[in-house]
Amino acid sequence: MADFKRRTLQLSSGKQIKLFGNSMAIGKSLELGEGYRPNILACNDGFSESNSSASVYNPFRLTREELIELADYNIQLWMDLKKNIYKYGMDSPMIFEMELPSQNKSTKPWPKKNGSEMDVSLKMDDKL
């Protein structure tokens, strides 16, 4: 199983990926990148002038339910990426959730999410 230590993602295959930050992110299009700016929820380690001890940095004042909804949304994106990799393989741009530029009308669009975005609030209520 993958592990993350000292800004290095270590995979079970032995491959190591050096990162600039301390986290990875997935976007709505299922593209992956580094998410190195903890500006939604983070640990304020007490190095600022006003805080002498560690505390939670939550500038949007997200509630427990909102954080769980955010987690469910990101988990669903990762699951969608995994499903698309199994379905289309690693070499197909079809693994990403985007549309092809309109070159001709007979071209099939890229896979899109069915209906609107996943309603994580319904799933969250089932788990509480």
Side-chain angles (χ1 to χ4, degrees):
M1 176 172 238
D3 195 14
F4 190 75
K5 293 181 182 175
R6 288 180 252 139
R7 296 188 179 188
T8 302
L9 179 63
Q10 300 172 349
L11 303 175
S12 59
S13 66
K15 186 175 286 187
Q16 296 183 352
I17 302 171
K18 298 276 186 190
L19 301 172
F20 292 104
N22 60 2
S23 61
M24 294 174 297
I26 186 168
K28 187 177 177 182
S29 66
L30 304 183
E31 294 172 299
L32 305 180
E34 290 193 55
Y36 57 89
R37 188 165 185 198
N39 59 356
I40 296 174
L41 184 71
C43 181
N44 180 352
D45 54 12
F47 288 119
S48 69
E49 305 85 35
S50 62
N51 291 333
S52 58
S53 63
S55 62
V56 175
Y57 177 66
N58 185 358
F60 297 99
R61 294 190 172 119
L62 297 172
T63 65
R64 175 183 179 269
E65 291 76 20
E66 290 167 335
L67 287 170
I68 290 170
E69 181 179 357
L70 182 60
D72 285 341
Y73 174 76
N74 278 280
I75 289 167
Q76 186 59 52
L77 291 176
W78 285 103
M79 295 301 291
D80 289 347
L81 176 63
K82 185 177 173 180
K83 175 190 68 166
N84 287 354
I85 290 170
Y86 281 125
K87 184 174 180 179
Y88 299 111
M90 282 298 304
D91 296 328
S92 174
M94 297 287 285
I95 63 175
F96 302 111
E97 299 277 339
M98 47 182 62
E99 293 185 23
L100 284 172
S102 56
Q103 294 173 345
N104 66 41
K105 304 271 183 188
S106 65
T107 306
K108 285 189 172 185
W110 295 63
K112 293 172 73 175
K113 294 191 186 321
N114 295 335
S116 62
E117 287 296 320
M118 181 183 98
D119 186 1
V120 293
S121 61
L122 292 176
K123 290 186 178 187
M124 182 183 65
D125 290 340
D126 294 340
K127 294 177 185 175
L128 295 177

